Structure formats: C-alpha cells, structure tokens
Amino acid sequence: MSSDKFPEKNLPEEENGPQHSDARRTFLKQSSLLTALALAPSAAIKAAELKFEEKVAAVFEQVKVTLGINGKKHKLSIEPRATLLDLLREQMHLTGTKKGCDYGQCGACTVHVDGQRVLSCLTLAAMVDGKEVTTIEGLANGDKLHPMQEAFIKHDGFQCGYCTPGQIMSAVACVREGHADSDEEIREYMSGNICRCGAYPNIVNAIKEVKNGGQRV
Amino acid sequence: MIQFQYVKPSKSKAAIDTVAKDQSAVFIAGGTNLVDLMKRGVMNPEKLVDINKLPLRKIERENGNVRIGALALNGAVAEDKLVLEKHPLLAQALNAGASAQLRNMATVGGNMMQRVRCPYFYDTAMPCNKREPGTGCGALEGYNRMHAIFGHSDKCIAVNPSDMNVALVALDAVVLVSGPKGDRKIPFAEFHRLPGDTPQIHTNLQQGELIMAVDVPENPYTKNVNYLKVRDRNSYAFALVSVAAALDLDGSTIKSARLAMGGVAHKPWRLNEAEQFLAGKPATEATFLQAAQIAMRGAKAFEHNKFKLTLGPNTIVQALKNASGVA
Ligand SMILES: Cc1cc2nc3c(=O)[nH]c(=O)nc-3n(C[C@H](O)[C@H](O)[C@H](O)COP(=O)(O)OP(=O)(O)OC[C@H]3O[C@@H](n4cnc5c(N)ncnc54)[C@H](O)[C@@H]3O)c2cc1C
Ligand code: SF4
Ligand code: FES
Ligand code: FES
C-alpha cells in the first residue's frame, strides 16, 4: 500500500477528524473486500462461474439495520460479518467498549442489548437490528456519573482500566438482575469479566456499595 | 472470517428449506459458538440463516412435559419458575455453564449443537479428523488433558463440552426436530454420537433439520438433585468432569436414580448400570462408592488425562452425597 492512500498529514487542521476517519474507513472497506475475496475462494469461484457481477454483489451484500445506540436511533448499512463490537468501535467511534480477547473469553466487550448484558465480540451487528444497545458511554446521565462508575472510582475498582468498561456494564446488570446479594454471588455472576490486574476485591466492594446504597441503577 | 450471506426468515419452513438445499448454509441462534469458530476459520459457512425471528422461545407445560423452545436462552431457562420447580437439575447445570453474558445469548438448541473444545480442532494449522477428515487426531498422542475416557476411537478422543446436555440426558429429554422430510422426535441419548470412524459427523441431526424444542418429561426428581462440575477455576471454565445426579428417596432408601457424566465422552454419558444398582439400596456413602465403581467400568485414559480415572468416581460419590444430603 503506498502512503498516498493516507492523506491525513496534508489535511487542514479542522477537517482532520472526520476526513481522516472517512479515508480510513474507505480504505478499510476496500481492503476488507479484497481480504474477503482472498479468504472466500470457493464463494468467489462459484460466483465467477455464475456470472461474476450479480453473484459477487449477492455474496458481498450489505445489510441494512436500524438500531438504537445509547438512546439515539441509527440507520446503518453494514457487512453481515461485522460484529457489534467492531461496529461500535470502528463505525460509530464508541471506543469505550474494549476488545480484549475477541472470542468471548474475557468480558471486556460487555454491552447491554435491550437491557441484557451480552458480549459484543460474539454478536453479529446484523442480528441486533431493531434493538437498543447501551455502552459505557451511555451510562452516565449527562455529566453525572452512574452510581456504579462513582463506586468503581471510590473503591479503586481498577488499575490499568482496560477491563473496566466491561466490568461496569456487567456490574450494573448484576445488580439489576438481583445477583448481588453476597460476595460469593457477586463473584459467581461477575466471573465472565476477567481482570488481569486482579482488582477483583475492590470490584466486589464497589458492587456491594451500589447494591446496599439502594440507588437506582 | 470469510464473507457470507445473511438471511433472517420468519417461517421455519423457509429456514429449513434454505439450509436443506445448501451444504454451505447453517443456522445461527445465539452465535456464541458459531461466530467464535467462524472467526478462527474452523467453520466457513457461506450463508447464515438467522432463526431468531421464529417463535421458538417459549417454556411451557405440554402433555406432562416441560417443553422448552429451541431459542429459549440458557439464562432464561435457568431462572424459569417451571423449570426450577420441575427440573432443578437442569437449572443447576445451565447455571454452571459459561458466564452470565454468554447465558444471555446462548440458546438451548445452540447449546445442544455446540462443537468440541479440543485445541487441535480449534487450531487450523493442526491435524484433526473432525475438522478435516483423514488428517489424523492431534490429541491422541498430543495434549489430551481435557479428553475422553469413555467411548473414544482412534480417530477422535474429544468430549462434548456442554453442561446442559448432561442434565438433559439424565432426565430422559426428547428433542423435537423439523426437517425437509417432516417432523421427528429424537431421544436425547441418541441425539449425540460417538466418534467411531466418522468424527466429522457431529450429531444425528441431518442437514437442514431444525431443532424446534426439547421435552423434559415429568419425573420425581424435583428435590434430591445435584449438578457437580469440577474445573480448573471456580467459574467460567469448561468441565474436567461433571456429574448430574438425581435421586427419588423414600426415607433413606433410593427408589430410583438418574446419573450422567460430562467431560468424559464425545456425548453426554448416561450411567445406566450404576442407576440400576442404586435402585432399592440405602443412600449411604458405601452404596455411592460401589455405584461409582460400576460407573467407571471400561474407562480408558490417555497420557494427560489419567487423573479423570480418580476424579470421575470421586465426583460421582460427592454429587450423590450432595443430592441425598448424606454427609
Ligand atoms: C468463553 C466461553 C465459555 C463457555 N463455557 C461453557 C461452559 O462452561 N459450559 C457449557 O455448556 N457451554 C459453555 N460455552 C458454550 C456455550 O454454551 C455455547 O456456545 C452456546 O450454548 C451455543 O448456543 P448458541 O445459541 O450461541 O449457538 P450458535 O453459536 O448460534 O450455534 C451453534 C451451532 O448450533 C446450530 N444451531 C443453533 N440452533 C439450532 C437449532 N435450533 N437447530 C439446529 N441447529 C442449531 C448452529 O447451526 C451452530 O452450528 C462457552 C462458550 C464460550 C464462548
Ligand atoms: S480429539 Fe477429535 S477434535 Fe481433537 S484433534 Fe482428535 S479428531 Fe480432532
Ligand atoms: S472481547 Fe469479547 S469477551 Fe473478550
Ligand atoms: S484493571 Fe487492568 S485488567 Fe482490570
């Protein structure tokens, strides 16, 4: 790839943001189409046999979805293979939701879909059509932090902070589900969120405080 | 992940027809197993048929059964009042699986169909008869700590990783299936297979057949039950060995028993002979030890999973103790 595909350095200051990301997005789209062709030989060969243009269009079609993200409705056109995690981070630029393992093993990508906590890395974005997604960015009420965010700060519920958005989304759900009645229960129902810094005791304390404080979560 | 087509039919017939006539099409439910395998290139379907529009989410009473729709979520089933009342063993097994987030996504049908967790199956650079028939079994002489001690062949020694399946086989569940040739019922014990010479054939479900529901028949095992799962950490890990134990007690006498093991075979492993032995015996540790010995007959371990020959019977005894309340 020649570097003239990346014009951001020459852009005027104020246009840097959107143009940069648009260029990057176009580049990603083109390159992922090429990757798709490279990775889907049988699909592509089959398509070639059966009149290239139409069939490639069918195989590489985009799916139209309408979904709410943090209270705002979005109409989007996406690749069927895009995960909700990649949609949030790459297309919506909501980078609060983290990619830890990308295989369902760590919980860093936890978000709420229609109020339930799920793993966005194993969720195809096409499958959330018509649903409401809440990410860590949508938890606070304007400038006022959510009680769980306050409690994580107060109890030092993190060190490096990488797992924290997922921990907080999971913790809010844990309390809402009614699974925060004892340390043991909290540990069991938070086991889907791994913390490499080992902030677990403080996370349990933060959740207990919110649960016992009786605030609306 | 390769590119694929995505369709979301609203009629089961359309879903079935699409997958029945296209070898490269698969159903997707929660996606927690399929998306993982697709990202790794282990499964490369060219068409995904999303079944989430189909009305298969209900949990209801039906002819003395609890009928659980194929799309009922693992988490919802585990907390369902009817399930907790009639089949607490199933609820325990479901809660022992995965994490709260995954249980909110995983469906009953998908759980039944989940693939093995053998590391050679997951690594496309490794030989694996299940992923690529004829390439050999990497685990046979390799790292086989998680692998089978019952029912394996020299072609494949992987285990069925599901917790739910262990409870369902113990409870004599029946799988309701709809396919291009009509509907049929498959007893749970006949749903999964042993690897034999064809480990690539995963279950007895045919191409295009859709799981509609699972029926769990009324039984007396509503109180003295225990699902005991032993794993490398306390939660969020697959079983090394697990045991589903259900007893119908008359005072301290066992009227009848149901017993099955997970993490030991290519299918959830029902222990019929041990069950027969338990019937009519006093619920004592001595009885449980004998039952465990019967259960372990014919077990054969590999280099790294010999510990299962001891862990297996110990887990059986402990699960029976937990179920009966015998200290
Ligand atoms: C990190 C991690 C940890 C886990 N730990 C555990 C654990 O401890 N215990 C445990 O039991 N499980 C565990 N799981 C596995 C999990 O339970 C399964 O992934 C889940 O149950 C699959 O259900 P699904 O609906 O997501 O299936 P999908 O991924 O949607 O589908 C899986 C397969 O089933 C087929 N399928 C789905 N529905 C139907 C249907 N109605 N009819 C016919 N075919 C169908 C699909 O075609 C696909 O081949 C874990 C998973 C992960 C990622
Ligand atoms: S045990 Fe089965 S799944 Fe594992 S490598 Fe051998 S053939 Fe493949
Ligand atoms: S990034 Fe989704 S669970 Fe790790
Ligand atoms: S705070 Fe570092 S991983 Fe949890």
Side-chain angles (χ1 to χ4, degrees):
Chain A
M1 262 345 119
S2 62
S3 59
D4 61 7
K5 288 258 161 64
F6 296 98
E8 65 264 35
K9 282 209 184 85
N10 309 323
L11 286 172
E13 198 64 53
E14 65 271 22
E15 286 176 3
N16 209 350
Q19 284 228 356
H20 162 205
S21 61
D22 282 353
R24 181 164 168 270
R25 223 183 290 160
T26 314
F27 165 72
L28 281 174
K29 257 191 205 146
Q30 287 166 350
S31 70
S32 66
L33 184 69
L34 292 174
T35 319
L37 276 165
L39 288 178
S42 62
I45 290 163
K46 228 193 256 171
E49 281 167 359
L50 305 153
K51 263 215 232 125
F52 201 77
E53 305 84 351
E54 306 155 32
K55 290 297 167 180
V56 167
V59 172
F60 300 128
E61 76 195 331
Q62 301 255 320
V63 190
K64 288 206 176 3
V65 294
T66 306
L67 68 164
I69 301 175
N70 297 329
K72 229 179 115 198
K73 203 166 157 184
H74 297 269
K75 278 188 196 291
L76 302 165
S77 190
I78 54 169
E79 278 188 29
R81 65 177 173 164
T83 61
L84 176 58
L85 176 60
D86 287 339
L87 173 77
L88 291 170
R89 291 182 55 88
E90 306 291 338
Q91 210 166 328
M92 307 310 294
H93 306 293
L94 291 168
T95 51
T97 307
K98 299 297 179 224
K99 184 183 279 191
C101 64
D102 211 20
Y103 294 112
Q105 299 177 345
C106 74
C109 66
T110 303
V111 298
H112 297 178
V113 172
D114 284 350
Q116 302 293 310
R117 51 172 154 163
V118 298
L119 300 177
S120 59
C121 72
L122 291 184
T123 302
L124 292 178
M127 294 173 70
V128 264
D129 185 29
K131 301 193 175 184
E132 177 64 39
V133 180
T134 308
T135 69
I136 189 75
E137 289 92 342
L139 212 52
N141 183 1
D143 281 345
K144 190 164 166 22
L145 290 180
H146 184 279
M148 193 63 78
Q149 291 173 309
E150 298 272 16
F152 265 65
I153 294 169
K154 179 173 162 197
H155 289 275
D156 268 338
F158 50 85
Q159 282 180 41
C160 77
Y162 198 81
C163 71
T164 314
Q167 297 280 1
I168 292 179
M169 294 312 287
S170 202
V172 169
C174 184
V175 174
R176 284 185 187 160
E177 291 161 8
H179 290 306
D181 284 336
S182 64
D183 285 25
E184 206 186 24
E185 193 183 25
I186 292 171
R187 285 179 184 279
E188 172 59 35
Y189 281 86
M190 288 297 291
S191 72
N193 292 82
I194 308 290
C195 175
R196 300 238 282 184
C197 301
Y200 299 114
N202 298 354
I203 293 172
V204 172
N205 288 338
I207 296 174
K208 267 201 304 200
E209 169 161 315
V210 173
K211 156 81 187 169
N212 297 335
Q215 298 123 298
R216 240 189 74 125
V217 286
Chain B
M1 213 190 304
I2 67 161
Q3 276 286 12
F4 52 82
Q5 253 188 306
Y6 171 83
V7 292
K8 191 169 185 177
S10 47
K11 292 267 183 327
S12 53
K13 188 173 180 312
I16 290 164
D17 288 347
T18 308
V19 176
K21 63 171 192 252
D22 186 350
Q23 286 290 332
S24 65
V26 295
F27 300 120
I28 183 163
T32 59
N33 193 218
L34 192 55
V35 174
D36 184 5
L37 291 169
M38 286 168 68
K39 282 186 177 182
R40 299 174 198 260
V42 177
M43 287 180 78
N44 300 297
E46 288 165 18
K47 188 181 274 183
L48 290 197
V49 179
D50 182 349
I51 57 175
N52 283 289
K53 255 198 212 162
L54 309 182
L56 303 174
R57 247 168 246 282
K58 272 207 210 117
I59 304 168
E60 59 195 348
R61 267 177 223 263
E62 175 73 36
N63 275 333
N65 295 304
V66 174
R67 176 164 293 178
I68 304 169
L71 288 175
L73 298 176
N74 286 187
V77 179
E79 309 215 334
D80 182 79
K81 275 217 182 74
L82 188 60
V83 171
L84 285 167
E85 180 198 329
K86 298 282 182 190
H87 304 297
L89 182 65
L90 175 59
Q92 286 183 18
L94 281 165
N95 271 332
S99 66
Q101 288 98 311
L102 284 158
R103 293 195 294 272
N104 278 345
M105 307 167 72
T107 65
V108 165
N111 192 326
M112 250 180 248
M113 294 294 288
Q114 65 171 295
R115 308 301 304 267
V116 300
R117 290 274 161 179
C118 172
Y120 300 91
F121 176 72
Y122 266 80
D123 186 343
T124 52
M126 289 289 174
C128 169
N129 286 327
K130 185 181 277 296
R131 182 170 28 75
E132 240 179 283
T135 52
C137 169
L140 201 58
E141 309 266 294
Y143 187 64
N144 46 34
R145 179 169 176 269
M146 299 296 287
H147 290 71
I149 52 172
F150 291 115
H152 39 62
S153 71
D154 60 357
K155 297 288 190 299
C156 178
I157 61 171
V159 300
N160 186 295
S162 164
D163 293 296
M164 179 193 79
N165 289 347
V166 185
L168 286 178
V169 80
L171 297 170
D172 290 315
V174 175
V175 187
L176 278 62
V177 164
S178 189
K181 293 185 202 129
D183 299 347
R184 64 181 181 123
K185 291 184 177 183
I186 311 173
F188 208 83
E190 290 162 27
F191 186 85
H192 296 92
R193 304 162 54 93
L194 290 180
D197 285 335
T198 50
Q200 72 276 16
I201 307 176
H202 173 50
T203 67
N204 286 320
L205 209 66
Q206 306 295 312
Q207 176 80 23
E209 280 190 317
L210 178 69
I211 302 166
M212 305 295 281
V214 58
D215 273 354
V216 193
E218 184 104 38
N219 63 43
Y221 311 110
T222 53
K223 209 174 104 228
N224 294 104
V225 299
N226 186 234
Y227 186 77
L228 184 58
K229 179 176 179 183
V230 183
R231 42 193 156 174
D232 284 328
R233 58 184 180 205
N234 250 335
S235 184
Y236 200 20
F238 286 95
L240 294 166
V241 165
S242 69
V243 170
L247 298 171
D248 183 17
L249 294 176
D250 182 5
S252 58
T253 304
I254 301 166
K255 281 164 75 180
S256 67
R258 291 286 179 273
L259 205 57
M261 274 175 115
V264 294
H266 196 264
K267 57 192 282 185
W269 198 245
R270 179 84 179 258
L271 300 166
N272 289 305
E273 284 176 33
E275 289 175 6
Q276 278 154 26
F277 169 81
L278 286 165
K281 302 276 186 326
T284 62
E285 180 161 9
T287 305
F288 300 156
L289 279 165
Q290 279 178 283
Q293 267 175 6
I294 294 169
M296 294 304 292
R297 278 185 200 151
K300 181 183 165 288
F302 297 88
E303 188 181 355
H304 301 288
N305 69 350
K306 293 202 173 67
F307 70 95
K308 290 192 181 182
L309 298 178
T310 312
L311 185 62
N314 286 351
T315 311
I316 293 175
V317 171
Q318 190 58 48
L320 286 166
K321 280 188 182 179
N322 294 351
S324 62
V326 168

